[in-house]
Amino acid sequence: MRRGSAVALVALVLLGLSGAPTQLSGAPKPALPVSLSPATIEPTLPLMIDLRLTGQRSGAQGGVARLEVSLDAGASLAEAVLTLVLPEGLKAEDGPLARGLQTSLRGGEHREYVVPLNARRAGLFPVRLHASFRLEDGRTYETNQAVLLRLGVRVPVGRSNAGAYEFMGVPLQELSR
Amino acid sequence: MRRFLLLLLLGSAGVAPALADYNASGRFLYVDREFNQTGFTGVEPQLPIRFADVQVVEGTKIVGAGVTDGQGNYAFRVQDTRTRDIYIRCLARRQSTTALPVDVRSGNQSGDIWSIRTQAFLSHAPAQDLFTGTLVATPGAGGEAFNLLDTAINGGDYLQFLRGTGTAPLLIVVYNASNPNLSSTSGSTITMANNGGYDDTVILHEMGHFVVNNFSHTNNPGGVHHLSDCNQNIMLAWEEGHATAWGLSVRRFFNMPHASSYVRTTGLLGPGNLQFYFDVETQLPFVCRGATSETTVYAALWDLFDGPGTTDESPGVEEPWDMLQGQEAPYWKIMTQYLQPTMNISLEDFWDGWFQPASANGRLPEMISVFRNLGVEYFPDTFEPNDQVTEARLIFPSAALLHQTYFADRNNDLLGEPDTDVFAFDAAGGTAYSIETFNLLGDANTSLELVATNGTTVLASNNDRSANDASSAISYTPAASGRLYVRSFHAADYGIYGSYDLRVTTVGAGVDADGDGFTSDTDCNDNNPAVYPGATEICNGIDDNCNGAVDEGFDRDGDGYTTCSGDCNDVNLQIHPGATEICNSIDDNCNGAVDEGFDADGDGYTTCGGDCNDANPQVHPNQAEFCNGIDDNCNNLIDEDFDVDGDGYTVCGGDCNDANSQIHPNATEVCNGVDDDCDGLIDEGFPDTDGDGLKDCVDPDDDNDGVLDALDCAPLAYSMTHPPGEIAETVLQPVGSILKITWDLVPETNVYNLYRGQVAVDSAWSFQSICLTAETVSTSLVDAANPPPGYLYYYLQAGSNLCGEGSLGTGTGGSSRPETLPCVPQGRDTDLDQVADLIDNCPLVANAGQADADRDGRGDACDNCAAVANATQADKDANGIGDACQDADHDGFTADVDCRDDDATIHPGAAEICDLKDNNCDGSVDEGFGTGAVCAVGVGACLRTGTVICAAGGSTTTCSATPGAPQNEVCNGSDDDCDGLVDEGFDQDGDGYTTCGGDCADTVASVHPGAVEVFNGVDDNCNNVIDDVIEQVVVTLATYQASNSRLTVEATTNYPLGSVTPFVVGFGPMTWVPSASVYRLVVTTPTNPGTVTVTSTAGGSASRTVTPI
């Protein structure tokens, strides 16, 4: 004996709404249509960090950019500490994240920060945000998110042609040098 | 029909060119990035791009195609007839009818395929083989896409292992920098995060969803889910946990390192860059219990598959509770058969599927062991059967927690059934009772009813204790004494199983001191608000949830120690704090030290590790053996090998060379460059002329003049090494009636011999030289004698030193000039300094010390450049200062190297400018400017040539020519108006072809040479033939149904309907089927032909493998 009638009723309603197949029994089939379930998303931590760079401008003496940080808390997070880690040659203008942010977030809370960045030279700058936090049950976790700032450095660009997005391959002997 | 006949005529006339094949070959690799629990390791091997499409491309046309093999190599034949500009590319695409086909696309679901390409091969001849070498896709330039392809291929191969060979739907992986930073799956499409190109475990997790979507069934509501969430939707927990277990099983299947680790990175280059990781074997760091956590699901499934040999973080070791491995076959059967028609799928259904009669996988004890360890209790509790009032178990109200499972199995078929737990207790009238559930695990959504003595009347009930708390609580005070019943059942939701604790207690006068909502009669610590019945148990050494157990779930190996109480290996019960440390290279007692107590001298070697003296840190294995009378290296030998040469002396006995028996303390010192007698001195008592520490007997250059003794004719005199060279130049200068003879100084020479001969004017020369002056210290001489009438004198000079007399030169024919009366040594000491002129480096200046600071053979007392070696004493301007010491123009370069010591702008190293001078003294004038070379000015018809000449200022050059005058542009293939463009204005339709370039319709852009010919009544490609279309036949279906011997073939052609008739070779013509828009032939044939070929009356042909159905 399996699920009770009340449970089955709930399932039928859900399946009907989603348009999923309603086959409840019968012999197994070798091939099935694709399940029409909602999109699945990769596992995450209860603190999701998204970093985006905007307004990049390069000059003879370096350049500037804006780092847009968005935080989404999937649970109540206490003792959250966010630290911006910048490489040599790149500095952040004074602000909460630049100083190192200690805060708490409620479950479902969304926050956004903007950090102006100044570079003394052209080049590639890995911008990292380290975060640690504590859950209500006492468990603590940490994570990182990062983005690469390019100032005055060409981004490798492919081209679309005849159904393919093409990059030039690198001869093995050049890679070995 | 007319078109068909035309093609036949062309073919029969031999106009169509013959095919010319060529081989295309090479190899494609991609840069992989290895990882572990710290992120990227920095190891980036180059791996083959396997089973990927390779194409030969001309412009936008594919003119040849092949596939790489398992090593990334490709080799295929290309049929061609024309010289083309082509390149070759490798696509992140695997096409297969027997394994999983994969596309890695850019942009979106229907976007372009990622690829890497070669350089262009211009004017490639059709019969010329093409080898492209090895090309690599690198991070940021295709490496991520090919890593995703390679990982997906591994996933596909694991899928094939599970289900066997067969067709599978196309897996589309979309990867692009503009994607979100979270990966997702919908149907058969995986959208990878923009920073996840090298996160193999992420794409494999998403492939787990793809597998379920296409081969099983799911009710996962989807969306964002957190690993730390221990109370997830039970259907989401199942699907997500399964996806992770499936993905990492791919790595386990291929014995890849860190197979149990899920690693998510930031994607940045370089080592590290970890976002987070977790281990499916231990669940760490996201430990949850119960089926409402994806971490529980993946840990449970992992334990079904893995074994001691799994390449996880503890290879060779398996947890004591995990007694299963290699259960892929029953797992896959459940996924593809039992779960397909099931609803509300969760771990509960997987359990039931395992024990279905059709599966009958058994192994109940092992399954319970694995699942119970993760807080999943799919078995009846100890109070069963107690499903109804008549079976009610009598209890007595107390603080005790009664552990229950919602799992009934009344017929013992191992399949779970909805369970109701009924208890009875004898209540006292007027006493308040509290009936509560706690510690809900695995979707145990409790609901409580308090039933009256009659067994039917419900006195009180509660489903959820609060809006966010699925546990239940009833408070009730009966008016009269009597037996009451407590009925507990699973509230309606998606699951039916789970476990919980039940407590029936009297409500006393207890207080709630810590304000956590529980009074002291139920709160096991009323001074700690974090401790109360139902609290989450955490590893902290206390009973947080008041269930009587401390840190339950945190001692997996059952050794009595939890991870937070110091167990440094919770999968090995022999290892824990307090264990006896044994000599085994393991920290058995978790004190941070390995084998402590077995290395008393602290030399890093224990007694069980071979230390033969644990009281002396200088004695241990791998120690060098010293000559000290003890066994330093613990090989049971003392001072072994310290008298290797067998001369009776050891190294510590004074033998300074134990490889030579002739050397020891009692040997006789001989002059050989060696300390024979080991007294610390080499060749003591033997001469050392130059005082350089090397005795003459072993010094290869005794006088230290830079010439080896074997090549030095005066090995003990540093100022000379060979006989004097020939005198370079002699000047005869009449001075009145006498003759002054002057000659150049010869290096390494202090004295000169002057010879004079006499010959008749009217007779042939015959040298009869006699010594006129011997060993003169001067370089000039005056001869007052006059030859007799009819004769003349000739003079010859030669330098002389310890090595002998220099040459007098050679006569006609190269013969030596004879000396009738040679000069003989004089032994003079002109300057009376007690050094004979022959060896005196300053024969005219007394210098008994013979000081010669620059060691050029000329003593300081007479050296015109005493600080710089200049053996020739060269002094071009005869000012008494040697050229080697003179810098007249003060440009930093002395006259011996400065080609113009009177011009400071000219010297070695100066910048050469274009001025007709040798500015840098390299012997060349204006080198590097290319003067005199042919040059051109102007473009197109204005082009003129001249020669390169210096421009004013000397820094640049110019061309001597002047460009011609531009003319009006006409269509002739030339740039008449000299603007860099050819025939501009003669391509009205902008199709890239001019009228004089072959465009037969310059008002129609689609018509030009090279255009694709289509059926339109127009000569599209300007080859003077209308609609000469090559037929393309495609076999769209070929099946053979064995049950009725029916062969079905379907095909299409690009020729208009009715203009052609396709035939299945060997089976007959095909018929047009309007409803399906294909040509079809259905015939009965006794066997499957394997392959069918369709040919058309317009010449097209194609084949296809027949699929059995």
Side-chain angles (χ1 to χ4, degrees):
Chain A
M1 187 168 118
R2 287 294 294 147
R3 308 293 189 270
S5 58
V7 176
L9 177 61
V10 172
L12 284 169
V13 170
L14 288 175
L15 290 168
L17 288 174
S18 65
T22 55
Q23 179 182 1
L24 298 178
S25 62
K29 294 182 177 180
L32 279 179
V34 173
S35 295
L36 298 178
S37 60
T40 55
I41 296 176
E42 65 173 289
T44 64
L45 298 188
L47 176 60
M48 289 191 292
I49 303 170
D50 190 23
L51 304 182
R52 293 189 184 277
L53 290 165
T54 60
Q56 293 100 316
R57 291 202 313 275
S58 301
Q61 301 301 318
V64 299
R66 281 160 45 96
L67 174 66
E68 297 179 359
V69 180
S70 69
L71 306 176
D72 285 282
S76 292
L77 307 179
E79 300 171 9
V81 178
L82 293 100
T83 308
L84 196 58
V85 182
L86 301 179
E88 179 274 330
L90 184 67
K91 289 197 170 182
E93 287 187 11
D94 191 28
L97 284 180
R99 290 191 295 267
L101 178 62
Q102 298 188 28
T103 186
S104 298
L105 292 96
R106 299 183 306 277
E109 183 175 351
H110 174 82
R111 289 191 196 176
E112 293 185 354
Y113 297 89
V114 175
V115 183
L117 300 174
N118 291 289
R120 294 201 306 264
R121 57 176 171 79
L124 297 174
F125 300 95
V127 179
R128 296 182 170 87
L129 184 65
H130 176 266
S132 61
F133 54 86
R134 182 173 61 79
L135 298 178
E136 284 185 327
D137 60 15
R139 291 179 293 169
T140 59
Y141 296 102
E142 58 182 278
T143 185
N144 294 279
Q145 191 56 279
V147 66
L148 187 63
L149 172 61
R150 302 168 192 266
L151 289 175
V153 179
R154 279 184 53 199
V155 181
V157 175
R159 67 156 194 175
S160 288
N161 182 50
Y165 186 52
E166 300 172 337
F167 276 88
M168 291 300 295
V170 180
L172 180 61
Q173 57 271 26
E174 290 185 16
L175 203 62
S176 303
R177 282 202 286 266
Chain B
M1 182 57 73
R2 187 160 52 95
R3 189 176 301 115
F4 176 60
L5 290 175
L6 175 61
L7 288 172
L8 286 178
L9 288 171
L10 286 172
S12 61
V15 176
L19 295 178
D21 296 350
Y22 65 89
N23 293 315
S25 62
R27 192 180 189 206
F28 288 105
L29 306 175
Y30 76 97
V31 174
D32 188 24
R33 302 181 67 190
E34 294 186 355
F35 56 85
N36 58 22
Q37 292 184 349
T38 65
F40 294 116
T41 63
V43 177
E44 299 186 349
Q46 294 147 10
L47 302 183
I49 297 177
R50 302 179 294 149
F51 315 126
D53 282 5
V54 179
Q55 296 175 336
V56 183
V57 184
E58 180 198 26
T60 59
K61 290 191 300 185
I62 312 303
V63 296
V67 180
T68 62
D69 63 15
Q71 298 304 312
N73 298 300
Y74 73 92
F76 54 86
R77 301 280 288 174
V78 180
Q79 289 187 334
D80 206 347
T81 59
R82 290 200 298 117
T83 296
R84 306 171 189 269
D85 295 343
I86 60 174
Y87 65 90
I88 293 179
R89 67 188 184 186
C90 179
L91 287 82
R93 159 179 281 177
R94 179 213 210 178
Q95 299 191 84
S96 174
T97 56
T98 57
L100 179 68
V102 181
D103 277 6
V104 183
R105 298 183 179 178
S106 165
N108 54 47
Q109 190 173 352
S110 58
D112 293 336
I113 308 293
W114 281 84
S115 69
I116 58 170
R117 53 160 291 186
T118 68
Q119 61 175 10
F121 299 97
L122 304 179
S123 302
H124 174 260
Q128 179 184 4
D129 285 349
L130 196 56
F131 175 68
T132 59
T134 300
L135 288 183
V136 186
T138 57
E144 291 84 352
F146 284 100
N147 175 67
L148 294 172
L149 173 69
D150 201 45
T151 306
I153 287 175
N154 282 339
D157 291 350
Y158 179 61
L159 175 62
Q160 190 168 331
F161 161 75
L162 292 172
R163 65 186 289 258
T165 302
T167 58
L170 172 66
L171 169 63
I172 299 173
V173 180
V174 179
Y175 174 72
N176 192 280
S178 60
N179 283 355
N181 68 358
L182 290 176
S183 301
S184 62
T185 300
S186 181
S188 297
T189 300
I190 294 174
T191 301
M192 283 302 297
N194 56 33
N195 55 4
Y198 277 106
D199 286 352
D200 296 357
T201 56
V202 177
I203 183 177
L204 289 173
H205 169 96
E206 299 300 333
M207 282 190 74
H209 292 307
F210 165 85
V211 168
V212 168
N213 289 345
N214 287 280
F215 300 98
S216 185
H217 184 52
T218 180
N219 301 111
N220 180 8
V224 174
H225 49 102
H226 307 300
L227 291 158
S228 57
D229 184 358
C230 299
N231 192 27
Q232 295 174 323
N233 175 296
I234 195 170
M235 298 178 293
L236 179 145
W238 159 252
E239 166 69 356
E240 296 295 345
H242 167 267
T244 297
W246 192 93
L248 295 186
S249 289
V250 175
R251 293 180 59 79
R252 175 189 50 77
F253 180 73
F254 287 104
N255 292 318
M256 293 180 173
H258 310 290
S260 64
S261 293
Y262 181 99
V263 177
R264 182 68 164 101
T265 72
T266 67
L268 287 191
L269 297 178
N273 287 305
L274 177 74
Q275 277 197 51
F276 64 85
Y277 82 96
F278 58 83
D279 185 276
V280 295
E281 174 88 328
T282 63
Q283 291 181 285
L284 293 172
F286 304 102
V287 178
C288 290
R289 294 166 57 78
T292 52
S293 162
E294 64 185 283
T295 76
T296 298
V297 173
Y298 60 60
L301 292 179
W302 182 261
D303 280 348
L304 301 186
F305 303 142
D306 78 329
T310 298
T311 52
D312 55 18
E313 302 302 327
S314 56
V317 177
E318 195 64 332
E319 307 96 323
W321 62 83
D322 179 8
M323 295 169 281
L324 290 172
Q325 62 175 314
Q327 298 296 315
E328 287 89 351
Y331 148 79
W332 188 248
K333 191 173 181 181
I334 296 168
M335 294 297 293
T336 55
Q337 295 184 13
Y338 180 74
L339 294 184
Q340 276 192 13
T342 303
M343 295 186 306
N344 306 332
I345 297 171
S346 71
L347 187 61
E348 297 179 356
D349 302 284
F350 181 81
W351 178 277
D352 286 347
W354 184 274
F355 294 105
Q356 279 291 310
S359 304
N361 294 309
R363 295 180 174 270
L364 178 65
E366 292 92 339
M367 287 289 283
I368 287 179
S369 175
V370 167
F371 279 61
R372 175 157 53 187
N373 182 69
L374 296 163
V376 180
E377 299 174 311
Y378 293 160
F379 48 84
D381 56 53
T382 57
F383 299 94
E384 295 292 342
N386 63 338
D387 296 350
Q388 38 200 321
V389 169
T390 55
E391 298 173 327
R393 294 299 181 119
L394 181 62
I395 60 175
F396 302 94
S398 73
L401 297 173
L402 308 176
H403 190 62
Q404 309 292 313
T405 67
Y406 279 140
F407 189 99
D409 183 17
R410 300 181 69 90
N411 59 359
N412 295 315
D413 64 356
L414 307 182
L415 304 180
E417 304 149 9
D419 183 28
T420 299
D421 297 323
V422 182
F423 291 89
F425 69 97
D426 293 323
T431 300
Y433 291 91
S434 173
I435 303 103
E436 298 173 278
T437 60
F438 302 103
N439 305 323
L440 277 53
L441 269 182
D443 195 46
N445 185 358
T446 61
S447 186
L448 289 176
E449 289 179 347
L450 182 63
V451 180
T453 305
N454 62 12
T456 56
T457 303
V458 176
L459 302 174
S461 66
N462 178 250
N463 184 359
D464 293 337
R465 187 188 293 263
S466 65
N468 296 316
D469 188 347
S471 67
S472 308
I474 294 174
S475 293
Y476 185 78
T477 303
S481 298
R483 178 158 293 185
L484 300 180
Y485 300 93
V486 174
R487 180 186 290 129
S488 168
F489 55 91
H490 199 298
D493 61 10
Y494 300 107
I496 61 172
Y497 303 151
S499 49
Y500 65 101
D501 292 330
L502 175 71
R503 187 182 63 196
V504 178
T505 183
T506 56
V507 179
V511 295
D512 180 13
D514 56 10
D516 59 6
F518 293 86
T519 55
S520 56
D521 53 337
T522 59
D523 192 342
C524 56
N525 185 344
D526 201 31
N527 294 315
N528 185 346
V531 175
Y532 53 84
T536 300
E537 188 72 18
I538 58 178
C539 195
N540 55 4
I542 62 176
D543 176 14
D544 304 274
N545 58 8
C546 294
N547 68 347
V550 175
D551 295 346
E552 66 275 18
F554 293 95
D555 176 20
R556 299 194 164 195
D557 54 10
D559 59 4
Y561 292 87
T562 61
T563 52
C564 59
S565 66
D567 193 346
C568 54
N569 186 338
D570 201 30
V571 296
N572 186 334
L573 58 83
Q574 303 298 327
I575 299 175
H576 55 76
T580 300
E581 190 73 17
I582 56 178
C583 204
N584 57 0
S585 301
I586 294 174
D587 177 14
D588 304 276
N589 58 7
C590 294
N591 67 348
V594 176
D595 293 348
E596 69 276 14
F598 295 94
D599 178 19
D601 57 6
D603 61 2
Y605 292 86
T606 60
T607 51
C608 57
D611 195 343
C612 55
N613 185 343
D614 202 29
N616 184 346
Q618 302 303 319
V619 176
H620 55 74
N622 294 323
Q623 173 69 287
E625 185 70 18
F626 300 105
C627 196
N628 54 5
I630 62 174
D631 177 13
D632 305 273
N633 58 6
C634 296
N635 68 347
N636 296 320
L637 298 174
I638 298 175
D639 293 351
E640 68 275 16
D641 298 334
F642 283 95
D643 181 17
V644 176
D645 56 9
D647 59 4
Y649 294 88
T650 63
V651 173
C652 51
D655 193 344
C656 55
N657 185 339
D658 200 33
N660 188 337
S661 62
Q662 302 302 312
I663 299 175
H664 53 76
N666 282 333
T668 300
E669 190 73 17
V670 294
C671 194
N672 57 2
V674 174
D675 177 13
D676 304 276
D677 55 6
C678 293
D679 64 353
L681 302 174
I682 297 174
D683 298 343
E684 65 272 19
F686 291 92
D688 176 13
T689 299
D690 55 11
D692 62 357
L694 287 177
K695 302 300 183 180
D696 289 353
C697 64
V698 294
D699 192 343
D701 182 9
D702 290 348
D703 54 8
N704 202 22
D705 59 4
V707 177
L708 297 177
D709 292 346
L711 304 175
D712 192 343
C713 60
L716 300 181
Y718 82 89
S719 62
M720 48 198 70
T721 60
H722 51 71
E726 193 170 336
I727 292 175
E729 185 175 356
T730 301
V731 176
L732 301 179
Q733 181 182 13
V735 181
S737 61
I738 62 175
L739 182 68
K740 183 177 183 180
I741 306 162
T742 305
W743 59 92
D744 285 351
L745 184 146
V746 177
E748 301 186 10
T749 305
N750 304 314
V751 298
Y752 300 87
N753 295 329
L754 179 65
Y755 291 86
R756 186 179 71 190
Q758 175 179 306
V759 294
V761 174
D762 56 358
S763 66
W765 276 82
S766 176
F767 285 101
Q768 297 179 342
S769 310
I770 61 173
C771 182
L772 181 61
T773 300
E775 292 191 353
T776 175
V777 297
S778 174
T779 56
S780 65
L781 189 71
V782 173
D783 186 12
N786 290 310
Y791 290 86
L792 56 80
Y793 286 153
Y794 67 87
Y795 298 89
L796 300 173
Q797 309 83 30
S800 182
N801 63 17
L802 274 178
C803 297
E805 184 181 58
S807 170
L808 291 173
T810 55
T812 304
S815 61
S816 298
R817 292 164 176 166
E819 300 166 344
T820 304
L821 184 60
C823 293
V824 297
Q826 301 297 305
R828 281 196 295 268
D829 176 16
T830 303
D831 56 8
L832 302 177
D833 61 0
Q834 305 300 311
V835 180
D837 292 349
L838 188 67
I839 58 173
D840 192 341
N841 60 17
C842 275
L844 292 176
V845 181
N847 63 333
Q850 297 286 293
D852 180 10
D854 56 10
R855 296 181 67 81
D856 61 356
R858 186 62 52 183
D860 295 345
C862 60
D863 194 339
N864 67 4
C865 186
V868 180
N870 60 334
T872 66
Q873 298 286 291
D875 179 14
K876 290 195 288 273
D877 57 4
N879 65 351
I881 302 173
D883 292 344
C885 285
Q886 175 178 306
D887 179 15
D889 57 6
H890 305 293
D891 60 1
F893 294 87
T894 52
D896 55 340
V897 295
D898 192 345
C899 56
R900 285 288 301 272
D901 198 35
D902 59 346
D903 184 342
T905 66
I906 297 177
H907 55 74
E912 189 73 16
I913 61 174
C914 200
D915 60 353
L916 304 178
K917 296 179 183 176
D918 177 14
N919 307 86
N920 57 7
C921 294
D922 67 349
S924 299
V925 175
D926 295 345
E927 69 278 12
F929 286 94
T931 53
V934 176
C935 56
V937 295
V939 298
C942 300
L943 182 71
R944 300 291 184 272
T945 59
T947 58
V948 176
I949 59 174
C950 291
S955 61
T956 60
T957 59
T958 186
C959 189
S960 61
T962 303
Q967 306 296 323
N968 291 332
E969 190 74 17
V970 297
C971 192
N972 58 358
S974 297
D975 176 15
D976 306 287
D977 57 1
C978 306
D979 63 352
L981 302 174
V982 175
D983 295 346
E984 68 274 20
F986 292 93
D987 177 17
Q988 296 182 26
D989 55 9
D991 59 2
Y993 294 86
T994 61
T995 51
C996 57
D999 193 343
C1000 53
D1002 198 32
T1003 58
V1004 182
S1006 62
V1007 176
H1008 56 75
V1012 177
E1013 192 76 20
V1014 297
F1015 287 112
N1016 57 0
V1018 175
D1019 176 15
D1020 303 278
N1021 58 4
C1022 295
N1023 67 346
N1024 296 323
V1025 180
I1026 296 173
D1027 293 349
D1028 50 336
V1029 178
I1030 297 175
E1031 185 181 25
Q1032 302 287 338
V1033 172
V1034 179
V1035 182
T1036 58
L1037 175 73
T1039 60
Y1040 181 77
Q1041 190 166 7
S1043 60
N1044 55 12
S1045 303
R1046 177 178 296 164
L1047 173 66
T1048 303
V1049 183
E1050 294 180 355
T1052 61
T1053 171
N1054 59 341
Y1055 265 50
L1057 180 62
S1059 66
V1060 296
T1061 301
F1063 291 81
V1064 180
V1065 176
F1067 294 100
M1070 305 177 76
T1071 303
W1072 174 252
V1073 182
S1075 60
S1077 297
V1078 296
Y1079 291 94
R1080 177 182 294 159
L1081 174 65
V1082 180
V1083 297
T1084 300
T1085 183
T1087 58
N1088 182 348
T1091 303
V1092 293
T1093 300
V1094 175
T1095 61
S1096 172
T1097 51
S1101 177
S1103 298
R1104 183 180 180 109
T1105 301
V1106 177
T1107 302
I1109 60 174

